[in-house]
Amino acid sequence: MKSLTLLAPLLLCVTLLCSSLNVASDSAAAALAILKWKASLQSQNHSVLLSWNTSNNPNTKTSPCAWFGIHCNHADSVTKINLTGYGVKGTLHLFPFLSLPNLAELDLSTNELYGIIPPKISQLSKLTYLDLSFNQISGQIPPEISHLVHRQTLHLAGNQLNGSIPREIGQLKFLTDLALCSNKLNGCIPASLGKLSPLVSLFLYNNSLSGPIPPELGNLRNLVEVYLDTNRLTGPITSTFGNLKKLTVLQMFNNSLSGPIPFELGNMESLSEISLYHNNLSGLIPTSFGGLRLLTLAHLYENQLSGPIPEEIGNLNSLVDLELSENQLNGSIPASLGNLSNLEILFLRDNRLSGSIPNEIGNLMKYLSENEFYGEVSSNWGLCKSLEILSISRNNLSGTILLELGLMSTLLYLDLSANQLSKSFPETIGNLSMSFYLNLSINQFSQNIPIQVGKLTRLFHLDLSHNMLSGEIPGELQSLQSLETLNLSHNNLSGEIPASFEHLRGLYTVDISYNELQGPIPNSQAFLNASVQELRGNKALCGNASGLPPCTPFF
Ligand SMILES: *[C@@H]1O[C@H](CO)[C@@H](O)[C@H](O)[C@H]1NC(C)=O
Ligand SMILES: *[C@@H]1O[C@H](CO)[C@@H](O)[C@H](O)[C@H]1NC(C)=O
Ligand SMILES: *[C@@H]1O[C@H](CO)[C@@H](O)[C@H](O)[C@H]1NC(C)=O
Ligand SMILES: *[C@@H]1O[C@H](CO)[C@@H](O)[C@H](O)[C@H]1NC(C)=O
Ligand SMILES: *[C@@H]1O[C@H](CO)[C@@H](O)[C@H](O)[C@H]1NC(C)=O
Ligand SMILES: *[C@@H]1O[C@H](CO)[C@@H](O)[C@H](O)[C@H]1NC(C)=O
Ligand SMILES: *[C@@H]1O[C@H](CO)[C@@H](O)[C@H](O)[C@H]1NC(C)=O
Ligand SMILES: *[C@@H]1O[C@H](CO)[C@@H](O)[C@H](O)[C@H]1NC(C)=O
Ligand SMILES: *[C@@H]1O[C@H](CO)[C@@H](O)[C@H](O)[C@H]1NC(C)=O
Ligand SMILES: *[C@@H]1O[C@H](CO)[C@@H](O)[C@H](O)[C@H]1NC(C)=O
Ligand SMILES: *[C@@H]1O[C@H](CO)[C@@H](O)[C@H](O)[C@H]1NC(C)=O
Ligand SMILES: *[C@@H]1O[C@H](CO)[C@@H](O)[C@H](O)[C@H]1NC(C)=O
């Protein structure tokens, strides 16, 4: 009995000694294993790896804990290696997977690693964070990666990984962040991803993934961001996405998705950005979209969507960027769009919209003085949102350009080309003083070009071609000192071209063909270098340009 009580502290002592010896030898073994990997790297002489040596502390056992990028716990066991962005060049073949039993975080992103991900990686049983993004790692994602059950973050983005996403990833039941984007992955998105219930972000974009979007993704109720764009996904958008109440970003553009946009998407109450452009989606834009009160960006262009623009879109008070171009939308532009007080970009081009431009569109602008517009960013700058880009070209709009539209002093880009708009331009057009692009071509505008166009001194491109404009070209256009391209072709303009146009120094391309113009062309490079095609079809132009007779007072 006595001997036992004496023995107890001794035993304890021995145990402690042994365990600290073990730690020391673990750490020495780890150091040697790490040095072995270092020796395999082409970049071993890189300055950041200089501290990875055995010569620094001759009196103690070699420990990697003081080495650059290596972190240990209080027991001197390596818990984290972070070498992100230090030009590490080599493979992972000799990485000490077996010697780092407590490694929890491994960040080797943005280096020059190549070769495969060794299946041995599954030996890092404590790993919660793995980032190998932005290297040149190739081959397949080893299914063994799923043995790392504690994994929360798996970032393999920006490599050359091919093959399919292993279905076993569905076993990583603590995973919150999965980024496999910008690789060469093919095959389907495994339905097993639907088991990753803690998943917050899913980045699979820019691969060659094909097949349908598994409805099981709708089970991932913690999802905040989903990026599936730029793949070869087909089939419908799953209506189960309607369950994703925390989702803020849904990017599925540049695939071959077809079928309708599910009504249920209107339930994604946190949604801020939805981008479905360049797919083959058809049917109506669901009226339920009117419920997406936090939506700032909706890109639905380049699809086969038909029917009207739902009036409910006017409820989306946060909307900044609405792009519905290149669909088959018909009916008239809903007046409710005038309620989108934060809207900056409205693209509706290439649809079948008809009717006139609603007066309410004029509400989408704010008066700002030039100083305010170009002034310093002030604390209330964010409140000063207003329409900057408006494109409704290539539709079937009729009626006139409204007075209100002419007043949109913050507009930078206005394209109403290829519609059935008629009558004269309103004089208020001179208020579009910030615009750099104005395209009113291919309509039925008539009467004179208003002298107020001369106030648009920031214009780079002015296209009024293919209308029925008449009268003389106003001399005021000489104020358009920023102008690079001017197209007045296919109108009924008459008289002489103002000689003052020779002062339009930036003018690079002109087309004045098919009018009733006569007399000398202005003495500027744009006119002198104009082609026959850009000058022909007039009454009697003359000058030193191809196809024109010289101007001579004797005839
Ligand atoms: C690293 O430097 C050592 C000594 O300067 C040299 O012997 C070795 O070849 C170098 N290794 C590489 C991969 O450049
Ligand atoms: C070894 O690492 C220490 C820093 O830990 C450094 O001061 C020393 O120069 C290194 N030795 C060699 C030979 O690179
Ligand atoms: C690694 O270090 C970089 C800064 O050098 C840091 O941004 C990154 O979050 C670190 N990674 C981990 C897993 O701690
Ligand atoms: C993956 O790429 C490697 C070359 O890096 C190639 O040998 C292999 O056949 C490819 N595998 C698949 C499934 O595409
Ligand atoms: C897409 O991925 C490739 C690598 O597979 C990369 O080179 C390219 O920059 C990526 N593109 C985008 C837009 O991220
Ligand atoms: C769409 O994806 C293809 C590859 O599938 C790529 O080449 C192209 O740049 C992408 N386009 C856009 C707009 O992202
Ligand atoms: C849409 O479908 C048509 C016809 O099936 C096809 O030609 C086109 O490439 C598809 N577009 C996209 C973006 O998938
Ligand atoms: C819009 O197009 C659909 C067919 O896609 C047609 O049934 C409907 O009458 C059209 N509506 C208008 C206002 O032109
Ligand atoms: C615009 O919003 C106001 C209230 O915010 C509402 O009364 C009006 O009906 C809306 N207009 C349209 C055209 O939807
Ligand atoms: C355009 O609208 C006019 C009526 O304003 C109508 O007669 C014509 O059929 C429409 N064209 C197309 C292509 O929808
Ligand atoms: C104006 O619009 C027409 C038709 O949409 C287009 O063909 C033309 O290139 C545009 N002009 C300029 C200067 O962009
Ligand atoms: C808008 O244009 C009209 C007509 O040219 C002019 O009287 C008015 O002062 C302009 N308003 C602003 C705010 O520039």
Side-chain angles (χ1 to χ4, degrees):
M1 272 311 194
K2 231 176 185 180
S3 56
L4 249 181
T5 41
L6 274 173
L7 253 169
L10 186 68
L11 270 175
L12 185 68
C13 196
V14 168
T15 321
L16 276 176
L17 188 67
C18 285
S19 74
S20 81
L21 273 177
N22 269 339
V23 164
S25 66
D26 273 359
S27 127
L32 288 177
I34 292 170
L35 288 177
K36 219 176 193 178
W37 179 53
K38 177 189 166 182
S40 78
L41 298 174
Q42 274 103 310
S43 58
Q44 56 183 280
N45 291 344
H46 194 296
S47 60
V48 302
L49 294 186
L50 284 182
S51 67
W52 290 22
N53 66 49
T54 47
S55 60
N56 45 345
N57 245 332
N59 300 326
T60 59
K61 297 256 184 212
T62 303
S63 158
C65 295
W67 292 356
F68 183 87
I70 295 184
H71 306 257
C72 293
N73 60 16
H74 51 79
D76 260 11
S77 187
V78 176
T79 53
K80 172 163 158 176
I81 299 180
N82 187 350
L83 292 176
T84 186
Y86 287 113
V88 179
K89 185 170 187 177
T91 72
L92 292 171
H93 287 298
L94 292 180
F95 188 88
F97 296 110
L98 302 172
S99 312
L100 302 170
N102 288 312
L103 191 68
E105 296 177 76
L106 177 57
D107 188 347
L108 300 176
S109 61
T110 321
N111 281 299
E112 292 174 58
L113 295 170
Y114 59 91
I116 63 161
I117 302 175
K120 277 190 302 218
I121 198 165
S122 61
Q123 302 291 329
L124 297 173
S125 61
K126 295 270 174 62
L127 207 61
T128 60
Y129 184 105
L130 175 62
D131 192 346
L132 302 176
S133 301
F134 308 110
N135 282 287
Q136 284 112 44
I137 297 170
S138 58
Q140 309 202 13
I141 301 174
E144 290 82 356
I145 217 158
S146 62
H147 297 168
L148 303 167
V149 287
H150 300 293
R151 184 79 58 71
Q152 289 159 18
T153 301
L154 177 55
H155 287 180
L156 304 176
N159 282 291
Q160 311 282 327
L161 294 166
N162 65 5
S164 52
I165 301 175
R167 138 168 37 87
E168 291 83 352
I169 283 189
Q171 293 161 18
L172 296 172
K173 56 176 187 253
F174 297 109
L175 204 63
T176 58
D177 294 278
L178 178 60
L180 306 178
C181 43
S182 293
N183 278 290
K184 294 174 172 167
L185 298 169
N186 54 32
C188 294
I189 299 176
S192 61
L193 294 191
K195 293 189 208 153
L196 302 172
S197 51
L199 204 64
V200 171
S201 38
L202 178 60
F203 292 84
L204 301 180
Y205 66 86
N206 192 18
N207 278 292
S208 298
L209 299 169
S210 57
I213 298 170
E216 288 81 356
L217 295 187
N219 300 337
L220 303 175
R221 287 166 197 259
N222 289 305
L223 274 176
V224 171
E225 299 169 290
V226 171
Y227 290 76
L228 304 179
D229 55 272
T230 311
N231 277 294
R232 297 176 191 158
L233 300 170
T234 54
I237 296 177
T238 169
S239 60
T240 60
F241 277 157
N243 300 331
L244 305 177
K245 308 266 190 229
K246 295 184 184 169
L247 200 68
T248 64
V249 181
L250 181 58
Q251 306 267 36
M252 303 201 291
F253 62 84
N254 205 11
N255 280 292
S256 294
L257 300 170
S258 57
I261 299 177
F263 190 84
E264 289 82 353
L265 296 200
N267 297 333
M268 296 189 292
E269 56 197 33
S270 304
L271 202 65
S272 160
E273 295 183 17
I274 185 166
S275 190
L276 305 177
Y277 72 84
H278 197 81
N279 277 292
N280 257 332
L281 300 168
S282 57
L284 306 177
I285 299 176
T287 54
S288 62
F289 265 41
L292 300 172
R293 296 303 172 99
L294 301 179
L295 203 65
T296 59
L297 179 147
H299 286 179
L300 306 183
Y301 56 95
E302 291 178 40
N303 278 294
Q304 323 281 335
L305 300 169
S306 59
I309 298 173
E311 208 176 295
E312 289 79 357
I313 296 270
N315 298 339
L316 302 177
N317 243 315
S318 309
L319 208 55
V320 172
D321 182 353
L322 176 61
E323 304 193 24
L324 307 177
S325 301
E326 294 184 64
N327 279 293
Q328 286 137 37
L329 301 170
N330 67 2
S332 53
I333 299 172
S336 63
L337 294 194
N339 277 359
L340 298 174
S341 55
N342 288 305
L343 203 64
E344 294 177 13
I345 299 174
L346 179 58
F347 271 104
L348 303 176
R349 99 185 128 74
D350 287 286
N351 275 292
R352 295 173 185 168
L353 300 166
S354 56
S356 54
I357 302 170
N359 289 350
E360 287 79 359
I361 292 281
N363 299 340
L364 299 179
M365 60 96 193
K366 307 251 183 331
Y367 287 108
L368 291 176
S369 74
E370 189 150 329
N371 287 340
E372 281 174 292
F373 195 84
Y374 286 98
E376 280 174 41
V377 179
S378 63
S379 54
N380 60 356
W381 176 253
L383 303 173
C384 284
K385 299 237 174 92
S386 57
L387 202 62
E388 294 177 1
I389 297 178
L390 177 60
S391 171
I392 324 182
S393 65
R394 293 192 286 247
N395 277 284
N396 197 19
L397 299 174
S398 53
T400 58
I401 297 192
L402 303 151
L403 214 64
E404 288 81 356
L405 201 55
L407 288 170
M408 302 183 84
S409 57
T410 56
L411 213 54
L412 304 176
Y413 182 107
L414 177 59
D415 190 352
L416 300 176
S417 64
N419 279 291
Q420 317 277 338
L421 298 166
S422 59
K423 312 248 173 65
S424 59
F425 305 148
E427 288 180 2
T428 51
I429 198 151
N431 292 329
L432 298 175
S433 54
M434 301 295 171
S435 299
F436 68 86
Y437 184 95
L438 180 60
N439 194 342
L440 303 177
S441 69
I442 323 180
N443 277 291
Q444 284 144 32
F445 291 116
S446 57
Q447 303 180 26
N448 292 5
I449 299 174
I451 57 171
Q452 287 81 2
V453 173
K455 292 186 180 170
L456 310 186
T457 53
R458 295 181 192 276
L459 276 185
F460 285 129
H461 305 287
L462 175 59
D463 192 344
L464 304 177
S465 65
H466 294 271
N467 279 294
M468 298 179 306
L469 298 167
S470 57
E472 296 195 0
I473 301 173
E476 284 78 2
L477 296 196
Q478 68 163 298
S479 313
L480 305 184
Q481 288 297 325
S482 305
L483 208 59
E484 289 180 2
T485 59
L486 173 64
N487 193 343
L488 301 176
S489 69
H490 296 269
N491 279 293
N492 297 323
L493 299 166
S494 57
E496 297 197 355
I497 305 167
S500 58
F501 275 24
E502 72 183 51
H503 302 306
L504 294 175
R505 292 280 161 228
L507 197 60
Y508 186 73
T509 317
V510 285
D511 190 344
I512 50 167
S513 61
Y514 299 100
N515 279 289
E516 299 291 322
L517 299 165
Q518 56 184 310
I521 55 165
N523 184 24
S524 79
Q525 288 309 309
F527 284 93
L528 298 177
N529 294 339
S531 66
V532 177
Q533 288 80 2
E534 290 163 335
L535 299 173
R536 70 180 167 194
N538 277 293
K539 198 169 177 185
L541 288 175
C542 65
N544 188 17
S546 56
L548 293 187
C551 298
T552 146
F554 303 108
F555 289 98

mmCIF file of all heavy atoms in Angstrom, residues 115-139:
data_model
loop_
_atom_site.group_PDB
_atom_site.id
_atom_site.type_symbol
_atom_site.label_atom_id
_atom_site.label_comp_id
_atom_site.label_asym_id
_atom_site.label_seq_id
_atom_site.Cartn_x
_atom_site.Cartn_y
_atom_site.Cartn_z
ATOM 1 N N GLY A 115 0.772 19.991 -59.870
ATOM 2 C CA GLY A 115 0.596 18.571 -59.547
ATOM 3 C C GLY A 115 -0.753 18.357 -58.887
ATOM 4 O O GLY A 115 -1.567 19.267 -58.798
ATOM 5 N N ILE A 116 -0.946 17.150 -58.382
ATOM 6 C CA ILE A 116 -2.267 16.779 -57.873
ATOM 7 C C ILE A 116 -2.421 17.093 -56.381
ATOM 8 O O ILE A 116 -1.447 17.410 -55.710
ATOM 9 C CB ILE A 116 -2.548 15.280 -58.102
ATOM 10 C CG1 ILE A 116 -1.534 14.436 -57.319
ATOM 11 C CG2 ILE A 116 -2.511 14.933 -59.580
ATOM 12 C CD1 ILE A 116 -1.988 13.012 -57.108
ATOM 13 N N ILE A 117 -3.642 16.998 -55.916
ATOM 14 C CA ILE A 117 -3.895 17.025 -54.467
ATOM 15 C C ILE A 117 -3.747 15.578 -53.997
ATOM 16 O O ILE A 117 -4.567 14.728 -54.355
ATOM 17 C CB ILE A 117 -5.319 17.522 -54.143
ATOM 18 C CG1 ILE A 117 -5.544 18.913 -54.725
ATOM 19 C CG2 ILE A 117 -5.575 17.489 -52.644
ATOM 20 C CD1 ILE A 117 -6.970 19.420 -54.551
ATOM 21 N N PRO A 118 -2.695 15.258 -53.215
ATOM 22 C CA PRO A 118 -2.506 13.849 -52.835
ATOM 23 C C PRO A 118 -3.659 13.354 -51.953
ATOM 24 O O PRO A 118 -4.068 14.065 -51.025
ATOM 25 C CB PRO A 118 -1.195 13.868 -52.048
ATOM 26 C CG PRO A 118 -0.525 15.162 -52.399
ATOM 27 C CD PRO A 118 -1.631 16.125 -52.694
ATOM 28 N N PRO A 119 -4.181 12.173 -52.243
ATOM 29 C CA PRO A 119 -5.260 11.610 -51.407
ATOM 30 C C PRO A 119 -4.874 11.543 -49.925
ATOM 31 O O PRO A 119 -5.744 11.615 -49.053
ATOM 32 C CB PRO A 119 -5.467 10.210 -51.988
ATOM 33 C CG PRO A 119 -4.982 10.310 -53.400
ATOM 34 C CD PRO A 119 -3.876 11.320 -53.387
ATOM 35 N N LYS A 120 -3.560 11.443 -49.665
ATOM 36 C CA LYS A 120 -3.062 11.425 -48.275
ATOM 37 C C LYS A 120 -3.529 12.634 -47.467
ATOM 38 O O LYS A 120 -3.412 12.643 -46.242
ATOM 39 C CB LYS A 120 -1.525 11.485 -48.290
ATOM 40 C CG LYS A 120 -0.813 10.206 -48.490
ATOM 41 C CD LYS A 120 0.690 10.399 -48.227
ATOM 42 C CE LYS A 120 1.311 11.468 -49.122
ATOM 43 N NZ LYS A 120 2.647 11.200 -49.615
ATOM 44 N N ILE A 121 -4.018 13.651 -48.154
ATOM 45 C CA ILE A 121 -4.472 14.855 -47.456
ATOM 46 C C ILE A 121 -5.522 14.496 -46.402
ATOM 47 O O ILE A 121 -5.704 15.210 -45.420
ATOM 48 C CB ILE A 121 -5.012 15.900 -48.456
ATOM 49 C CG1 ILE A 121 -5.055 17.286 -47.812
ATOM 50 C CG2 ILE A 121 -6.364 15.500 -49.033
ATOM 51 C CD1 ILE A 121 -5.212 18.422 -48.780
ATOM 52 N N SER A 122 -6.158 13.358 -46.609
ATOM 53 C CA SER A 122 -7.186 12.918 -45.663
ATOM 54 C C SER A 122 -6.589 12.597 -44.289
ATOM 55 O O SER A 122 -7.329 12.441 -43.313
ATOM 56 C CB SER A 122 -7.919 11.700 -46.208
ATOM 57 O OG SER A 122 -6.992 10.660 -46.385
ATOM 58 N N GLN A 123 -5.259 12.494 -44.199
ATOM 59 C CA GLN A 123 -4.625 12.221 -42.899
ATOM 60 C C GLN A 123 -4.643 13.436 -41.970
ATOM 61 O O GLN A 123 -4.379 13.313 -40.785
ATOM 62 C CB GLN A 123 -3.158 11.799 -43.113
ATOM 63 C CG GLN A 123 -2.991 10.577 -43.989
ATOM 64 C CD GLN A 123 -3.491 9.317 -43.313
ATOM 65 O OE1 GLN A 123 -3.436 9.200 -42.093
ATOM 66 N NE2 GLN A 123 -4.005 8.387 -44.101
ATOM 67 N N LEU A 124 -4.908 14.603 -42.534
ATOM 68 C CA LEU A 124 -4.927 15.814 -41.694
ATOM 69 C C LEU A 124 -6.267 15.867 -40.969
ATOM 70 O O LEU A 124 -7.145 16.667 -41.294
ATOM 71 C CB LEU A 124 -4.723 17.059 -42.558
ATOM 72 C CG LEU A 124 -3.386 17.149 -43.294
ATOM 73 C CD1 LEU A 124 -3.378 18.333 -44.250
ATOM 74 C CD2 LEU A 124 -2.240 17.268 -42.305
ATOM 75 N N SER A 125 -6.406 15.005 -39.971
ATOM 76 C CA SER A 125 -7.749 14.743 -39.448
ATOM 77 C C SER A 125 -8.342 15.903 -38.660
ATOM 78 O O SER A 125 -9.529 15.940 -38.414
ATOM 79 C CB SER A 125 -7.722 13.484 -38.581
ATOM 80 O OG SER A 125 -6.832 13.722 -37.509
ATOM 81 N N LYS A 126 -7.533 16.877 -38.264
ATOM 82 C CA LYS A 126 -8.076 18.001 -37.496
ATOM 83 C C LYS A 126 -8.400 19.206 -38.381
ATOM 84 O O LYS A 126 -8.796 20.258 -37.897
ATOM 85 C CB LYS A 126 -7.060 18.453 -36.428
ATOM 86 C CG LYS A 126 -6.783 17.419 -35.366
ATOM 87 C CD LYS A 126 -7.748 17.555 -34.195
ATOM 88 C CE LYS A 126 -7.598 16.438 -33.186
ATOM 89 N NZ LYS A 126 -6.263 16.394 -32.567
ATOM 90 N N LEU A 127 -8.157 19.056 -39.687
ATOM 91 C CA LEU A 127 -8.252 20.220 -40.573
ATOM 92 C C LEU A 127 -9.674 20.790 -40.616
ATOM 93 O O LEU A 127 -10.633 20.075 -40.857
ATOM 94 C CB LEU A 127 -7.818 19.796 -41.981
ATOM 95 C CG LEU A 127 -7.229 20.882 -42.871
ATOM 96 C CD1 LEU A 127 -5.966 21.459 -42.267
ATOM 97 C CD2 LEU A 127 -6.930 20.320 -44.258
ATOM 98 N N THR A 128 -9.795 22.075 -40.376
ATOM 99 C CA THR A 128 -11.091 22.736 -40.528
ATOM 100 C C THR A 128 -11.075 23.698 -41.708
ATOM 101 O O THR A 128 -12.120 24.051 -42.243
ATOM 102 C CB THR A 128 -11.467 23.553 -39.268
ATOM 103 O OG1 THR A 128 -10.464 24.541 -39.054
ATOM 104 C CG2 THR A 128 -11.603 22.669 -38.054
ATOM 105 N N TYR A 129 -9.851 24.139 -42.095
ATOM 106 C CA TYR A 129 -9.739 25.192 -43.110
ATOM 107 C C TYR A 129 -8.691 24.769 -44.122
ATOM 108 O O TYR A 129 -7.528 24.544 -43.760
ATOM 109 C CB TYR A 129 -9.317 26.490 -42.415
ATOM 110 C CG TYR A 129 -9.247 27.713 -43.286
ATOM 111 C CD1 TYR A 129 -10.236 28.698 -43.224
ATOM 112 C CD2 TYR A 129 -8.178 27.908 -44.166
ATOM 113 C CE1 TYR A 129 -10.161 29.830 -44.014
ATOM 114 C CE2 TYR A 129 -8.112 29.035 -44.958
ATOM 115 C CZ TYR A 129 -9.104 29.991 -44.882
ATOM 116 O OH TYR A 129 -9.036 31.107 -45.661
ATOM 117 N N LEU A 130 -9.072 24.658 -45.380
ATOM 118 C CA LEU A 130 -8.100 24.318 -46.425
ATOM 119 C C LEU A 130 -8.275 25.276 -47.587
ATOM 120 O O LEU A 130 -9.357 25.368 -48.165
ATOM 121 C CB LEU A 130 -8.320 22.880 -46.918
ATOM 122 C CG LEU A 130 -7.419 22.455 -48.103
ATOM 123 C CD1 LEU A 130 -5.955 22.482 -47.731
ATOM 124 C CD2 LEU A 130 -7.805 21.064 -48.609
ATOM 125 N N ASP A 131 -7.226 26.000 -47.896
ATOM 126 C CA ASP A 131 -7.275 26.921 -49.034
ATOM 127 C C ASP A 131 -6.067 26.691 -49.941
ATOM 128 O O ASP A 131 -4.935 27.013 -49.574
ATOM 129 C CB ASP A 131 -7.309 28.372 -48.546
ATOM 130 C CG ASP A 131 -7.666 29.347 -49.669
ATOM 131 O OD1 ASP A 131 -7.611 28.931 -50.843
ATOM 132 O OD2 ASP A 131 -8.004 30.505 -49.368
ATOM 133 N N LEU A 132 -6.331 26.106 -51.106
ATOM 134 C CA LEU A 132 -5.279 25.883 -52.105
ATOM 135 C C LEU A 132 -5.583 26.701 -53.365
ATOM 136 O O LEU A 132 -5.056 26.425 -54.441
ATOM 137 C CB LEU A 132 -5.188 24.395 -52.468
ATOM 138 C CG LEU A 132 -4.913 23.415 -51.327
ATOM 139 C CD1 LEU A 132 -4.943 21.971 -51.842
ATOM 140 C CD2 LEU A 132 -3.561 23.709 -50.684
ATOM 141 N N SER A 133 -6.439 27.722 -53.223
ATOM 142 C CA SER A 133 -6.897 28.498 -54.376
ATOM 143 C C SER A 133 -5.749 29.189 -55.094
ATOM 144 O O SER A 133 -4.737 29.523 -54.489
ATOM 145 C CB SER A 133 -7.858 29.602 -53.923
ATOM 146 O OG SER A 133 -8.948 29.045 -53.273
ATOM 147 N N PHE A 134 -5.977 29.468 -56.366
ATOM 148 C CA PHE A 134 -5.061 30.252 -57.192
ATOM 149 C C PHE A 134 -3.646 29.690 -57.192
ATOM 150 O O PHE A 134 -2.685 30.326 -56.801
ATOM 151 C CB PHE A 134 -5.115 31.746 -56.799
ATOM 152 C CG PHE A 134 -6.511 32.268 -56.800
ATOM 153 C CD1 PHE A 134 -7.149 32.592 -55.622
ATOM 154 C CD2 PHE A 134 -7.223 32.358 -57.992
ATOM 155 C CE1 PHE A 134 -8.469 33.008 -55.613
ATOM 156 C CE2 PHE A 134 -8.542 32.774 -57.993
ATOM 157 C CZ PHE A 134 -9.161 33.099 -56.807
ATOM 158 N N ASN A 135 -3.572 28.428 -57.605
ATOM 159 C CA ASN A 135 -2.317 27.754 -57.893
ATOM 160 C C ASN A 135 -2.494 27.110 -59.257
ATOM 161 O O ASN A 135 -3.413 27.496 -59.996
ATOM 162 C CB ASN A 135 -2.023 26.716 -56.805
ATOM 163 C CG ASN A 135 -1.470 27.363 -55.534
ATOM 164 O OD1 ASN A 135 -0.334 27.794 -55.530
ATOM 165 N ND2 ASN A 135 -2.273 27.431 -54.482
ATOM 166 N N GLN A 136 -1.656 26.163 -59.601
ATOM 167 C CA GLN A 136 -1.852 25.450 -60.871
ATOM 168 C C GLN A 136 -2.056 23.964 -60.613
ATOM 169 O O GLN A 136 -1.553 23.114 -61.350
ATOM 170 C CB GLN A 136 -0.652 25.673 -61.795
ATOM 171 C CG GLN A 136 -0.636 27.040 -62.444
ATOM 172 C CD GLN A 136 0.507 27.898 -61.937
ATOM 173 O OE1 GLN A 136 1.629 27.430 -61.800
ATOM 174 N NE2 GLN A 136 0.210 29.151 -61.641
ATOM 175 N N ILE A 137 -2.793 23.675 -59.569
ATOM 176 C CA ILE A 137 -3.022 22.284 -59.189
ATOM 177 C C ILE A 137 -3.964 21.631 -60.199
ATOM 178 O O ILE A 137 -4.952 22.237 -60.616
ATOM 179 C CB ILE A 137 -3.585 22.215 -57.753
ATOM 180 C CG1 ILE A 137 -2.537 22.784 -56.799
ATOM 181 C CG2 ILE A 137 -3.973 20.810 -57.376
ATOM 182 C CD1 ILE A 137 -3.032 23.001 -55.393
ATOM 183 N N SER A 138 -3.606 20.398 -60.602
ATOM 184 C CA SER A 138 -4.399 19.740 -61.645
ATOM 185 C C SER A 138 -4.902 18.386 -61.168
ATOM 186 O O SER A 138 -4.744 18.029 -60.005
ATOM 187 C CB SER A 138 -3.565 19.613 -62.917
ATOM 188 O OG SER A 138 -2.394 18.891 -62.627
ATOM 189 N N GLY A 139 -5.487 17.639 -62.091
ATOM 190 C CA GLY A 139 -6.036 16.336 -61.732
ATOM 191 C C GLY A 139 -7.401 16.492 -61.089
ATOM 192 O O GLY A 139 -8.010 17.553 -61.149
#
